[in-house]
Amino acid sequence: MAEPTPTKSKRPFGRSVLILLAIFAGVVVYAYGFSVTDVDLSQIRSETRREQLTRVMRALARPELVTYERVETNTDTPFYMPCPPGGFTPPEVDPFSRHITVDPACTEPGGTITVHGENFSPNARVTVYLVPPSGDLELTLKSGLIADDTGSFTVTVDTRERPSDQPQTIRVKTREPIGSIFKPVTVESIDPNTGATVVVRSPRISKAALDTWDKIIETVFLALLATTLGVLIAVPMSFLAARNLMKDITTPLIKLGLQLVAAPVGVAVGVIAARWAQDISGLLTDSVLLVLLGLILLPGLIVLALRWAFPAVELEPPTLGLRISRGLVLFVAAVASIVVLFLSASLLQRFGDWVAPRLGAFEFLGAFSTTIGDILAAIITVIAALAGAGVLVNLAGKLASWMRNHLPDAITRPLAVPLVGLAFALVAVIIGQGIDWLYQIGDPVKIIWVPAAVGAAFGMFLAIRAYKREVVNIGLTVYYMARTTFNAIRSIEPLVMVIVFVVWVGIGPFAGSLALALHTIAALAKLYSEQVESILPGPVEAVQATGATRLQTVVYAVIPQIVPPYISFTLYRWDINVRMSTIIGFAGGGGIGFLLQQNIRLLNYQAASVNMLAIAIVVASMDYLSSRIREKIV
Amino acid sequence: MKGIRLLKVEHLTKVYEGGTVALEDVSFEVPDGEFLAIIGLSGSGKSTLLRCINRLIEPTEGRITWDGVDITAAPQEELRRIRRRIGMVFQHFNLVHRSKVLTNVLQGSLGYVNPALSIINKFPKEQVRRAYEQLDRVGLRDQAPKRADELSGGQQQRVGVARAMMQNPQIVLADEPVASLDPVLAHSIMQYLEVINRDDDVTVLCSLHFLDLVHRYADRAIALKDGHLVFEGPPNEIDDEKFKEIYGKEAERVG
């Protein structure tokens, strides 16, 4: 043990200067910050601002959950004219209920009195009458008077020459709300639209509250749909953005070239196959019976074909002839599958159309079936195109492997260079078409030949650079592309995205859910992929070692490990989406935000307060619910 | 039956990204049915060597041939067919914790079964029966429906052995299979490997820490030091001098 030597820490001079400079820099930063954010206390102190704030805050504190019917109401107080012998003491008033007081409490006929009223409706229209003892006459003393914000008024009026030794009455007529939440009443009222007399309850749930209920339901489901759609796409995407899964995927140059050429061809094949399938299913869709028959028979045949083409256990590599016949059978099975999809879509549409009018209040279930059918019909071609690309890319890969195994290196290596060049030229031309769509160049030299040349040059350059290693790290390329895309999409708030979707699908919750879904895809794919990156590598290694394919490895070693965090993130995102969907309406995305924005613009703060209350309740309960589910599952 | 097939490692070199040389010019042969122990200090390249054999790690140079087939040159498809005949047992068991014990064992059949059906967790009845059979062999049949992480360390390693045996392997690579277990459990696991080696005629390549285990179970041993092969021969030839050469001057024999 060394002797503890007490050292007096001496701060070097340079360090002190540095700290001083840092403090000075901090002051400058905040000073500039104050100046650009217009920090202005005189605004806060201003009297008019304070009054406005008070008014808004008071309105917000009174959410207009119920509306009261207003009926003409009399508020009376006894009054003597002239004063009786011995004077007159007016009855006690309850300071918290609606009342009027007269000062003086009695007067000579025609004298002047001051009438003071309290606890009337704010800004109520007040008329003051004198009612002589007979009670069948009301003499107007003052009309057109308006009570103040707190429902008080004071008015000085001249009485009439109507002496009597009997008590008379000073009467104030106002339109006052009737009934209470605990004791509602029914009254007759005139419908402002039709002019007819209707019987209504008072108080009753306000229009603001009813609208809020409608829109908050819309909001919750908007968030649900956006989250569902987002999760469905984000889950597969997240694997592409996981470095640990992607980093080892390398592909030989020749394979890359062949596959890149094969992909667009595959898309074309898929589209053509989809068209065939549509024609075939078109023959069947005329009759429901044929559709049903097709839906029963075809899946059976497809399963049989799959069973035959993928035997349960395969010990020896299959022969070439077997492979080719398998390929043909699978192609037929694929076309049959597309036919099945078309038939299902048609069946869903028919069923929906048929059942909707028969369901009454549950008509939306029928409409749902029809819409799902529509969606299915719309995406079949896309599915077929992707599947076609997948199959052809796979075949190109096999061809490349075969070439590498059976042809001498001296042929395959140099062959890869023009092949990769061709592939990149193809990709560049496709990009060129996209640019042409955006900028409408229309010049074939600029949109076909120049991109082709640039692409070919780039591809060949790449191929020559990787010539010696013979492989390129395609996995990392895909990884970086996926990451970049997600980050770019994520950086644009859904509130901004919704503007584009509003143009595309119109103002409303559909635009909102699409915008939220797109953002959810990017955000969740990133969060998910980080979870994939943090899994234990051991099980992955173990499953790989058994001879499992890449897909099997993902299913057996990766997915079980990521289920808890995925669920947790999905719930978290749902939570965020509920919150986002409450404001997405500000930009036209439907949901309660639209209502809230409208009420604020119309200065209808009491209705806005109802909206905010609903948002607070929904967000708080979602938060509670999702944390409970998370606890349960994870 | 011994000596028909041959696992042949020739001039194997592995240089990791960043320049670490894990193996340098390692050559040896393993006849069919042998129990070969691989010894050496931590970091001497034992794990890398085992993983090069089924190409979980790509060798930088050299060739590994088995039964005349060049493993190092095999394309992906063929590599998978080779891998499914090589079982592997790991130091940290490498079970999928959240999956059932039975599923973990069934993973051993992934190389054989229909890839499309296996994705939806559907295995042929025959394979499920075999999985139970393998669990029976390691005495864990009644644990099949449990989650893997509910098992103790020794039980988990037995599941690991069952998974490897599910592959019907001709070679088992065991990477420090008992280093995370206490001595009693260690012997029980080693005995399973011994049975596999003796009764099923499976070649076993097993890296080990403790010399007494090497003496007790191995037919032959090789020793690695800093990525070089420094010893090859029967275990009883490892005397004090050899030991110091393998483990360094300051090393003490503990087992």
Side-chain angles (χ1 to χ4, degrees):
Chain A
M1 277 287 272
E3 192 82 359
T5 46
T7 50
K8 201 175 174 214
S9 68
K10 243 187 172 178
R11 193 172 280 160
F13 176 72
R15 218 177 124 78
S16 304
V17 171
L18 266 181
I19 290 174
L20 266 179
L21 277 176
I23 292 172
F24 180 70
V27 170
V28 169
V29 166
Y30 281 96
Y32 188 68
F34 270 50
S35 129
V36 293
T37 48
D38 281 343
V39 176
D40 184 1
L41 289 188
S42 69
Q43 292 283 351
I44 297 176
R45 287 195 217 99
S46 137
E47 200 58 41
T48 42
R49 296 272 174 193
R50 275 191 201 172
E51 266 170 32
Q52 283 168 352
L53 177 69
T54 312
R55 216 184 54 236
V56 170
M57 292 308 285
R58 283 189 182 150
L60 287 180
R62 292 190 184 86
E64 192 198 345
L65 291 169
V66 291
T67 40
Y68 290 87
E69 198 59 36
R70 284 167 187 272
V71 293
E72 197 164 63
T73 310
N74 298 340
T75 310
D76 297 349
T77 192
F79 177 69
Y80 279 91
M81 193 166 58
C83 283
F88 167 62
T89 313
E92 285 286 305
V93 293
D94 175 2
F96 298 109
S97 63
R98 188 174 69 234
H99 65 266
I100 53 172
T101 52
V102 177
D103 182 42
C106 57
T107 180
E108 288 310 306
T112 303
I113 54 170
T114 301
V115 179
H116 176 70
E118 270 182 25
N119 300 325
F120 286 81
S121 302
N123 312 316
R125 185 175 289 270
V126 179
T127 316
V128 183
Y129 299 92
L130 172 69
V131 185
S134 62
D136 49 11
L137 193 68
E138 291 175 335
L139 304 167
T140 307
L141 297 182
K142 177 82 181 176
S143 63
L145 186 67
I146 302 288
D148 66 10
D149 273 353
T150 59
S152 305
F153 68 90
T154 305
V155 64
T156 305
V157 290
D158 293 331
T159 51
R160 304 288 178 89
E161 288 284 349
R162 286 211 168 241
S164 166
D165 52 354
Q166 296 295 309
Q168 312 200 32
T169 304
I170 294 293
R171 172 169 291 169
V172 166
K173 275 188 195 276
T174 47
R175 293 186 71 81
E176 292 293 332
I178 63 159
S180 76
I181 294 178
F182 307 106
K183 209 176 161 193
V185 293
T186 52
V187 288
E188 284 188 348
S189 154
I190 293 164
D191 191 300
N193 298 325
T194 61
T197 308
V198 287
V199 177
V200 293
R201 278 165 73 83
S202 175
R204 58 179 186 277
I205 295 169
S206 69
K207 188 168 178 316
L210 287 174
D211 290 350
T212 303
W213 173 254
D214 264 8
K215 287 287 171 184
I216 203 78
I217 295 291
E218 187 179 300
T219 306
V220 171
F221 281 93
L222 190 161
L224 179 70
L225 283 192
T227 313
T228 314
L229 184 60
V231 167
L232 284 180
I233 301 176
V235 167
M237 288 291 161
S238 64
F239 295 115
L240 297 183
R243 197 187 180 97
N244 55 343
L245 296 187
M246 302 299 285
K247 71 175 192 316
D248 293 329
I249 303 179
T250 54
T251 182
L253 274 176
I254 189 161
K255 191 167 164 185
L256 175 73
L258 278 173
Q259 288 184 328
L260 276 181
V261 175
V265 180
V267 168
V269 170
V271 170
I272 292 169
R275 228 172 261 161
W276 286 354
Q278 195 168 18
D279 289 345
I280 295 170
S281 57
L283 299 175
L284 300 175
T285 45
D286 288 338
S287 143
V288 181
L289 213 66
L290 278 176
V291 170
L292 285 175
L293 203 68
L295 276 180
I296 293 164
L297 286 181
L298 283 176
L301 288 175
I302 293 167
V303 168
L304 282 181
L306 287 179
R307 279 266 166 86
W308 179 74
F310 296 111
V313 176
E314 186 156 64
L315 295 172
E316 292 304 317
T319 59
L320 185 66
L322 188 60
R323 274 168 189 251
I324 289 175
S325 46
R326 273 182 186 176
L328 286 175
V329 167
L330 284 178
F331 180 73
V332 174
V335 174
S337 309
I338 305 173
V339 172
V340 167
L341 285 179
F342 271 116
L343 291 182
S344 313
S346 150
L347 191 70
L348 281 169
Q349 286 164 328
R350 274 161 178 271
F351 176 72
D353 288 342
W354 175 79
V355 85
R358 290 169 173 76
L359 283 177
F362 293 96
E363 193 189 334
F364 65 90
L365 288 175
F368 177 67
S369 171
T370 311
T371 311
I372 293 289
D374 284 346
I375 294 175
L376 193 57
I379 60 173
I380 289 172
T381 312
V382 179
I383 296 174
L386 286 179
V391 170
L392 248 80
V393 164
N394 197 345
L395 286 180
K398 292 228 163 99
L399 175 64
S401 304
W402 182 86
M403 282 165 76
R404 273 162 57 81
N405 290 337
H406 292 84
L407 296 180
D409 242 20
I411 295 177
T412 54
R413 278 197 184 207
L415 190 64
V417 175
L419 209 57
V420 173
L422 175 68
F424 273 73
L426 207 61
V427 172
V429 168
I430 291 171
I431 295 173
Q433 296 305 307
I435 292 173
D436 182 46
W437 178 75
L438 277 178
Y439 297 102
Q440 298 170 291
I441 299 165
D443 178 357
V445 173
K446 282 182 189 156
I447 61 171
I448 294 175
W449 301 115
V450 172
V454 172
F458 181 73
M460 292 209 280
F461 169 72
L462 202 77
I464 290 166
R465 259 199 59 182
Y467 192 80
K468 199 157 170 227
R469 280 181 59 217
E470 228 193 321
V471 294
V472 282
N473 209 330
I474 191 75
L476 271 186
T477 313
V478 173
Y479 163 82
Y480 282 119
M481 275 161 55
R483 268 285 145 112
T484 314
T485 315
F486 294 152
N487 282 334
I489 296 177
R490 219 161 44 89
S491 64
I492 303 168
E493 279 296 313
L495 216 54
V496 180
M497 281 183 195
V498 80
I499 294 168
V500 177
F501 283 105
V502 161
V503 173
W504 192 18
V505 300
I507 288 180
F510 187 39
S513 22
L514 288 179
L516 270 184
L518 184 58
H519 195 260
T520 303
I521 292 169
L524 272 187
K526 183 188 149 71
L527 287 177
Y528 284 165
S529 64
E530 271 154 22
Q531 287 309 309
V532 176
E533 282 172 5
S534 67
I535 59 168
L536 299 173
V540 178
E541 191 182 50
V543 173
Q544 258 173 8
T546 66
T549 61
R550 213 176 277 283
L551 192 58
Q552 285 174 327
T553 309
V554 168
V555 170
Y556 282 90
V558 179
I559 289 180
Q561 293 197 59
I562 55 176
V563 166
Y566 269 43
I567 290 175
S568 163
F569 278 125
T570 304
L571 288 171
Y572 172 59
R573 186 66 207 185
W574 186 30
D575 216 79
I576 292 178
N577 278 351
V578 169
R579 259 176 289 150
M580 282 305 302
S581 63
T582 59
I583 57 160
I584 198 121
F586 274 66
I592 198 160
F594 180 65
L595 211 58
L596 181 58
Q597 181 209 32
Q598 225 175 21
N599 284 327
I600 292 175
R601 293 260 165 90
L602 295 172
L603 307 182
N604 192 354
Y605 291 109
Q606 278 189 291
S609 172
V610 180
N611 305 153
M612 289 188 221
L613 194 67
I615 292 172
I617 292 171
V618 164
V619 169
S621 40
M622 282 297 160
D623 188 65
Y624 173 76
L625 194 73
S626 68
S627 70
R628 282 300 295 271
I629 298 177
R630 234 177 314 187
E631 263 171 40
K632 276 263 157 69
I633 299 178
V634 184
Chain B
M1 285 291 284
K2 293 199 177 187
I4 295 169
R5 269 187 292 253
L6 204 62
L7 180 71
K8 219 166 151 184
V9 176
E10 294 165 279
H11 309 293
L12 186 66
T13 298
K14 172 66 190 177
V15 183
Y16 283 108
E17 263 174 70
T20 317
V21 182
L23 292 173
E24 200 170 357
D25 197 20
V26 172
S27 304
F28 62 95
E29 287 178 3
V30 191
D32 201 25
E34 187 174 66
F35 196 123
L36 179 79
I38 302 165
I39 57 173
L41 283 171
S42 300
S44 59
K46 305 190 294 288
S47 293
T48 306
L49 173 62
L50 287 174
R51 281 169 174 74
C52 280
I53 292 173
N54 62 1
R55 268 176 61 195
L56 285 178
I57 291 174
E58 291 288 338
T60 313
E61 267 171 56
R63 237 158 61 106
I64 301 171
T65 52
W66 178 30
D67 200 12
V69 177
D70 188 348
I71 297 179
T72 32
Q76 280 297 320
E77 278 293 300
E78 199 188 341
L79 176 63
R80 292 205 302 109
R81 275 195 287 275
I82 294 169
R83 273 180 181 169
R84 68 186 189 183
R85 291 186 293 151
I86 304 179
M88 193 157 187
V89 179
F90 301 85
Q91 178 181 356
H92 299 295
F93 326 136
N94 288 359
L95 301 186
V96 181
H97 286 174
R98 288 176 47 86
S99 296
K100 286 194 292 182
V101 168
L102 182 68
T103 313
N104 270 288
V105 177
L106 278 170
Q107 282 165 10
S109 68
L110 284 176
Y112 296 91
V113 298
N114 181 336
L117 284 178
S118 73
I119 294 305
I120 54 170
N121 203 4
K122 213 165 151 36
F123 287 89
K125 283 205 180 67
E126 167 66 14
Q127 297 291 345
V128 178
R129 192 189 57 73
R130 283 195 52 234
Y132 274 110
E133 206 177 275
Q134 296 304 330
L135 277 172
D136 239 354
R137 271 182 91 171
V138 295
L140 290 175
R141 191 188 183 95
D142 48 341
Q143 310 284 342
K146 280 198 186 168
R147 261 173 63 154
D149 56 0
E150 288 174 47
L151 268 51
S152 68
Q155 288 175 321
Q156 290 198 21
Q157 191 59 300
R158 275 143 72 190
V159 176
V161 172
R163 173 172 62 191
M165 289 311 291
M166 190 69 196
Q167 291 173 241
N168 249 338
Q170 279 136 11
I171 298 179
V172 165
L173 307 172
D175 181 21
E176 308 260 13
V178 297
S180 310
L181 301 172
D182 65 49
V184 179
L185 287 174
H187 274 289
S188 101
I189 295 294
M190 289 308 293
Q191 276 154 14
Y192 283 121
L193 291 178
E194 192 182 29
V195 168
I196 290 165
N197 173 247
R198 205 181 47 218
D199 297 352
D200 299 23
D201 211 21
V202 173
T203 312
V204 176
L205 276 74
C206 180
S207 64
L208 285 170
H209 258 325
F210 292 107
L211 271 182
D212 66 333
L213 293 177
V214 179
H215 285 293
R216 163 86 175 68
Y217 295 101
D219 297 333
R220 212 158 57 92
I222 59 171
L224 290 172
K225 190 188 180 196
D226 299 331
H228 295 269
L229 192 71
V230 291
F231 172 81
E232 186 176 1
N236 54 22
E237 272 181 26
I238 306 173
D239 50 20
D240 280 353
E241 194 190 329
K242 267 286 162 209
F243 180 82
K244 285 229 168 1
E245 197 186 316
I246 298 164
Y247 287 99
K249 291 270 182 293
E250 288 85 41
E252 296 267 352
R253 288 182 83 138
V254 287

